[in-house]
Amino acid sequence: MSTPTENTPKAPLKRKKLGELLFQANLIDQKTLENALEIQKTQKKKIGQILVDLGVTDDEKIAKALASQLKIPFLRLNAVQIPKEVIDLVPQDMAENYLLLPVKVIKKQLVIAMANPLEFYALDDLRFITQMSIFVTVAPQSDILSAIQKFYPIQSLNRQLGPDMGFSENIEIVGQAKEKEHNLQDLLNLTELPPVVRFTNTVLADAIKMKASDVHIEPQKDNVVIRYRIDGIMREIMQIDKQIHLSLVSRIKIISNMDISIRRKPQDGRAQVKMGGSRFDLRISTLPASYGEKVTIRILNPNAGGMAIEELGFSEKDLRHFIESIDRPQGIILVTGPTGSGKSSTLYTALKRLNSSKVNIVTVEDPVEFDIAGINQVQINPKAGVTFADGLRSILRQDPDIVMVGEIRDAETAKIAFQAAQTGHLVLSTLHTNDAASAVTRLLDMGVDSFVIADSLIAVIGQRLVRGICKKCKIPDPLTPQIFEQLESVIKPDRTKKFWKGAGCEACQYSGYTGRIGIFEVLMITPAIKEILSSNVAAVTIKKAAEKDGFTTLSMDGITKAFSSLTTIEEVFRVAPPEYDDTAQETLDRAMESREPVSDSIEREAHKPEPPSSIGSIRPEKILIVDDNPVILQILKNILESQNYQTVSANNGIDALKIAVQQKPNLIITDYMMPEMDGMALINKLKSQLTTRFIPVVMLTAKDEVDAEVDVINAGADDYLTKPVNPKRLIVRINRLLNRPSVETEC
């Protein structure tokens, strides 16, 4: 590059806007420009980013068009090396806010690369801060973002994952593995930075606190979504910037003893963490996806396998049958259900009851989920040629009294398990079928003879897990007459009884549910069932024969538990719906849809009409306004909606917290003094959990005092304004907060 001179565009070009220049360069047509400008009214994004989002063009073509129109150099930053003393000339916040990067200094003149050289105020700020003249080049936005991540990594991580993230980091990684690949030292150093460690620990601690069974880290095109599976339901917790993804995944790989250099192949690992005096096992899986590696972390609580058999949730009759079954000296007992239905917990509970010094219990599992003292547990290893069938053959030579096989997956394992049951062993295992009766037909399909099943199979337990009603917000929930009519085709409901539901509260994250309970069906292989067993018997035939002996189906057990206020009728119908004909099912569906939702008035207020179709799939940003004064509430709504923001409102902190958790607005404006929960308490609640921690908050108050402002900022507010609110000042503050890079920035 020759010696530069000041090349800032002169006054005539200052009046040109980016869209106009791109139109003049024939990169876009007039209709596309008008559509992008319409979207910009609702999105507050830069016009170039909107065009990229729409797929009209890409950032490289935009940069080349600008270079041509403004007659300034076009620069690629892929291989550019920038000295630290040059990077230090420009603060990171300025580089990120204006999408620019210092490149070199030539004769006391700073050469910079910009995504949009038309941002003249950025150049003015840069001259003031550096006290240097500026030579402008243009580079693709993606190049600048990558270079910022490369040259400002420590500052970026500290800003996004700084010390204030540590609200829930009382967690310890047990026996952390160390990576030995010296050529990966730079990445290792990055993953050992306190912000990355702190953020990883915080996510794990938060998931454990919320009793999540799984953590999903899912890279998307522009960001990374973190979701938890809580009570069997996936729940989005937060979105983080894409640039954190690599460091976060590498940190997880390190603690789980994976190879951080392998990114294009799936890997499995395990780790253990200690929190609150308890240890939790983590099973980690990585999977290459379109936008990077997806990570799934299964959280296993060792205490979950330690409950008593009476705590599983069996009805009195089914519990008696189950205990009678496992007390048999020989035979086979199967537990059926889909993945995540609690089959392993049921088996471990049975083993715990059977465990004594008088019997030899051996298990073969994949993986060993819970350690039980006094039981010999074997982990299968298919890669080494050790399958369930091989493991079962081996443990039968260990003189066992009781054998537990993690899962019957194939005909070979099934036949060996039944042979063991016929030769004096009690065998417990699982099978993936929809219900208990289908397990018998599945065994027949696997080639197990019907007479062997009749002689050896003791019982089949079908089970599901349904969410339990939150005890802190449980309220009566009378069913509609249509649903009572449908239940009459299954049972004769007592119309004086009540069904219940959770109204939604802070304790249950406004879902109305906490924890899960089991619903069961126990199919005893009675003489009547043995008589009908043949190679072509249907599951429905087996079920009808069992019902004559008092067999209770999953849906019946669920309905009974719903009448007992343990769960809701919606949960039962979701997990184990009764069998209706098509007409009855349609009527039932209409009845369920007609029920009033839990979040009645607040939900109705929140659901505003979607933007016109011409704006595409880009939705306006949502702002939650919290104030107990209806006049101020309406004034703020008018100001914001005039700027095409979507608004939702609440008149107290309790309702505001509920909306924030359920809807995750882009920003919150809250009053200081309010009934029930004031603004300070609301901010403390918002900042105490990952779900809402990164939503920017503006506090409004009538107090124009320094001490009040300090208290509000220390509590976690992102900005502070006094009443009466100046509309221009409010909009400027909101735009600044919404456009700043943060953990939840979406590009």
Side-chain angles (χ1 to χ4, degrees):
M1 183 183 294
S2 60
T3 302
T5 57
E6 185 86 358
N7 67 339
T8 305
K10 304 304 178 186
L13 281 177
K14 286 186 179 181
R15 291 191 292 270
K16 295 287 185 181
K17 294 183 178 180
L18 177 62
E20 295 177 67
L21 287 180
L22 297 179
F23 172 71
Q24 291 175 0
N26 295 319
L27 193 63
I28 58 174
D29 57 25
Q30 185 65 35
K31 184 177 180 181
T32 300
L33 176 59
E34 291 172 358
N35 188 35
L37 291 172
E38 187 69 20
I39 292 172
Q40 192 178 42
K41 292 178 182 179
T42 63
Q43 266 298 294
K44 312 301 178 186
K45 281 187 177 182
K46 295 177 180 178
I47 198 74
Q49 185 59 55
I50 292 173
L51 292 171
V52 172
D53 290 345
L54 292 173
V56 174
T57 184
D58 58 46
D59 58 349
E60 183 178 349
K61 292 178 181 177
I62 290 174
K64 287 181 177 178
L66 287 172
S68 173
Q69 290 291 308
L70 298 175
K71 295 180 172 50
I72 58 177
F74 170 78
L75 186 64
R76 294 306 302 262
L77 301 175
N78 302 15
V80 173
Q81 293 300 319
I82 306 175
K84 183 178 184 301
E85 58 269 21
V86 175
I87 286 292
D88 290 343
L89 291 172
V90 178
Q92 181 175 349
D93 286 346
M94 177 175 283
E96 290 179 333
N97 288 336
Y98 295 143
L99 288 179
L100 58 83
L101 197 76
V103 178
K104 63 172 67 175
V105 175
I106 300 178
K107 294 184 178 181
K108 297 184 179 181
Q109 188 175 41
L110 181 62
V111 179
I112 66 165
M114 296 183 72
N116 182 8
L118 296 175
E119 293 186 334
F120 299 100
Y121 49 85
L123 298 175
D124 292 339
D125 289 348
L126 205 56
R127 290 190 193 93
F128 178 78
I129 289 175
T130 63
Q131 294 298 299
M132 301 174 72
S133 62
I134 307 298
F135 183 85
V136 181
T137 68
V138 61
Q141 178 175 308
S142 58
D143 280 19
I144 292 177
L145 289 172
S146 297
I148 289 173
Q149 181 181 356
K150 177 180 178 181
F151 294 109
Y152 292 97
I154 296 177
Q155 298 96 312
S156 175
L157 290 167
N158 271 303
R159 175 182 54 77
Q160 300 190 64
L161 311 175
D164 62 338
M165 275 292 302
F167 67 91
S168 181
E169 73 179 83
N170 56 331
I171 189 169
E172 174 188 351
I173 307 296
V174 180
Q176 179 180 326
K178 297 296 182 183
E179 178 61 53
K180 298 179 180 179
E181 294 290 338
H182 297 292
N183 60 335
L184 300 173
Q185 194 58 47
D186 289 343
L187 185 53
L188 279 171
N189 290 339
L190 184 61
T191 62
E192 290 298 335
L193 287 172
V196 179
V197 175
R198 185 160 46 240
F199 182 65
T200 307
N201 290 357
T202 297
V203 170
L204 294 175
D206 185 63
I208 291 172
K209 183 179 70 173
M210 295 182 71
K211 298 180 180 179
S213 62
D214 301 88
V215 176
H216 292 254
I217 300 171
E218 303 170 333
Q220 308 295 322
K221 181 180 179 181
D222 299 321
N223 56 14
V224 180
V225 176
I226 296 180
R227 298 195 293 168
Y228 299 164
R229 186 177 294 278
I230 301 173
D231 296 334
I233 304 297
M234 293 290 283
R235 184 182 301 175
E236 182 176 318
I237 299 301
M238 64 184 300
Q239 296 178 5
I240 62 174
D241 197 275
K242 191 68 177 286
Q243 67 174 332
I244 302 173
H245 178 250
L246 179 60
S247 302
L248 176 61
V249 172
S250 297
R251 173 63 185 167
I252 293 171
K253 286 183 177 180
I254 288 172
I255 67 175
S256 56
N257 202 25
M258 295 186 200
D259 188 337
I260 63 175
S261 67
I262 297 176
R263 300 178 192 168
R264 299 183 182 276
K265 293 181 180 179
Q267 292 190 76
D268 294 310
R270 57 191 303 170
Q272 191 176 77
V273 298
K274 184 178 180 182
M275 180 177 170
S278 299
R279 289 177 182 251
F280 298 84
D281 292 324
L282 308 180
R283 303 288 160 77
I284 297 102
S285 170
T286 66
L287 180 70
S290 299
Y291 299 109
E293 287 182 284
K294 180 184 185 301
V295 179
T296 301
I297 304 172
R298 168 66 56 88
I299 302 173
L300 299 174
N301 183 355
N303 298 326
M307 67 177 67
I309 202 166
E310 292 79 11
E311 298 173 328
L312 288 173
F314 284 102
S315 66
E316 183 178 345
K317 180 189 67 176
D318 286 344
L319 178 61
R320 185 176 67 253
H321 286 159
F322 185 47
I323 292 176
E324 288 174 358
S325 299
I326 64 175
D327 284 343
R328 298 274 191 92
Q330 67 183 62
I332 185 166
I333 301 167
L334 297 176
V335 182
T336 71
T339 300
S341 59
K343 301 186 298 295
S344 295
S345 295
T346 299
L347 288 181
Y348 276 111
T349 302
L351 290 178
K352 181 183 176 185
R353 180 182 178 89
L354 295 169
N355 190 16
S356 75
S357 59
K358 297 180 180 180
V359 294
N360 177 24
I361 303 178
V362 186
T363 73
V364 54
E365 307 172 59
D366 180 29
V368 176
E369 294 191 15
F370 305 108
D371 294 324
I372 304 178
I375 292 180
N376 306 286
Q377 296 173 270
V378 178
Q379 167 81 51
I380 73 164
N381 187 357
K383 292 181 180 179
V386 182
T387 63
F388 273 119
D390 296 323
L392 185 52
R393 284 194 192 93
S394 299
I395 66 176
L396 289 177
R397 294 192 286 268
Q398 293 291 317
D399 186 33
D401 298 293
I402 300 170
V403 174
M404 194 270 272
V405 183
E407 182 184 346
I408 295 179
R409 296 179 178 173
D410 50 48
E412 185 180 13
T413 307
K415 290 178 180 178
I416 298 171
F418 273 87
Q419 288 172 8
Q422 288 182 304
T423 55
H425 305 90
L426 179 65
V427 180
L428 292 82
S429 189
T430 69
L431 196 64
H432 282 284
T433 60
N434 289 331
D435 55 26
S438 298
V440 178
T441 57
R442 175 68 61 82
L443 292 170
L444 291 168
D445 292 340
M446 286 182 171
V448 182
D449 293 326
S450 58
F451 68 88
V452 173
I453 297 174
D455 289 342
S456 305
L457 187 59
I458 301 171
V460 183
I461 293 89
Q463 69 178 75
R464 298 287 191 279
L465 292 176
V466 293
R467 292 179 291 172
I469 298 175
C470 176
K471 295 179 180 178
K472 293 188 177 181
C473 60
K474 183 170 70 173
I475 59 174
D477 182 23
L479 290 178
T480 61
Q482 295 96 319
I483 294 178
F484 267 121
E485 291 173 7
Q486 296 310 311
L487 287 177
E488 285 180 348
S489 65
V490 183
I491 59 173
K492 298 298 180 183
D494 183 352
R495 292 179 180 267
T496 63
K497 289 185 176 182
K498 293 181 180 179
F499 281 80
W500 300 77
K501 66 178 181 180
C505 65
E506 185 182 348
C508 62
Q509 289 282 291
Y510 305 98
S511 66
Y513 299 97
T514 55
R516 288 190 290 178
I517 61 173
I519 58 174
F520 301 90
E521 58 184 19
V522 178
L523 176 67
M524 301 297 293
I525 308 303
T526 61
I529 292 178
K530 290 180 181 181
E531 288 181 5
I532 64 172
L533 286 182
S534 63
S535 59
N536 59 354
V537 67
V540 65
T541 304
I542 296 173
K543 183 180 291 187
K544 287 180 179 179
E547 287 175 345
K548 293 179 180 178
D549 290 333
F551 172 71
T552 302
T553 64
L554 282 169
S555 57
M556 285 293 297
D557 188 49
I559 292 170
T560 301
K561 287 182 168 69
F563 272 121
S564 301
S565 75
L566 298 176
T567 187
T568 64
I569 197 68
E570 288 92 341
E571 271 294 284
V572 176
F573 289 161
R574 179 181 70 85
V575 174
E579 295 180 359
Y580 299 112
D581 59 40
D582 292 341
T583 303
Q585 186 64 54
E586 289 175 5
T587 305
L588 178 62
D589 290 342
R590 286 195 300 271
M592 298 305 292
E593 290 171 1
S594 69
R595 294 162 63 80
E596 179 72 12
V598 170
S599 307
D600 41 45
S601 61
I602 295 177
E603 288 290 323
R604 287 196 299 270
E605 160 117 25
H607 289 86
K608 300 289 178 106
E610 292 295 320
S613 57
S614 61
I615 297 179
S617 60
I618 304 176
R619 301 179 64 182
E621 287 158 318
K622 182 186 294 184
I623 297 178
L624 167 60
I625 309 169
V626 193
D627 202 305
D628 60 325
N629 186 321
V631 176
I632 294 177
L633 205 62
Q634 189 59 49
I635 290 173
L636 292 173
K637 285 170 65 71
N638 292 342
I639 293 172
L640 295 172
E641 290 176 359
S642 71
Q643 298 296 312
N644 295 305
Y645 286 111
Q646 183 181 355
T647 64
V648 58
S649 60
N651 56 22
N652 62 75
I654 294 177
D655 287 347
L657 184 61
K658 181 176 184 178
I659 294 172
V661 170
Q662 291 181 330
Q663 301 185 36
K664 296 184 181 63
N666 301 95
L667 184 137
I668 298 172
I669 301 173
T670 179
D671 190 18
Y672 191 113
M673 300 299 295
M674 292 183 297
E676 298 186 68
M677 180 189 292
D678 64 21
M680 292 286 283
L682 173 62
I683 290 175
N684 288 329
K685 294 283 189 182
L686 292 169
K687 300 301 180 181
S688 68
Q689 53 186 334
L690 279 180
T691 310
T692 55
R693 182 172 180 79
F694 296 103
I695 300 174
V697 180
V698 178
M699 176 74 84
L700 300 181
T701 179
K703 295 182 179 180
D704 188 9
E705 301 172 0
V706 174
D707 289 344
E709 181 176 355
V710 170
D711 289 343
V712 168
I713 298 300
N714 286 339
D718 298 89
D719 209 339
Y720 175 97
L721 286 174
T722 55
K723 299 177 182 178
V725 175
N726 179 286
K728 289 185 178 179
R729 182 176 297 167
L730 175 66
I731 295 301
V732 167
R733 298 288 182 88
I734 288 174
N735 289 341
R736 180 182 66 84
L737 289 174
L738 290 176
N739 292 328
R740 71 179 184 181
S742 70
V743 173
E744 288 195 271
T745 298
E746 290 196 9
C747 191

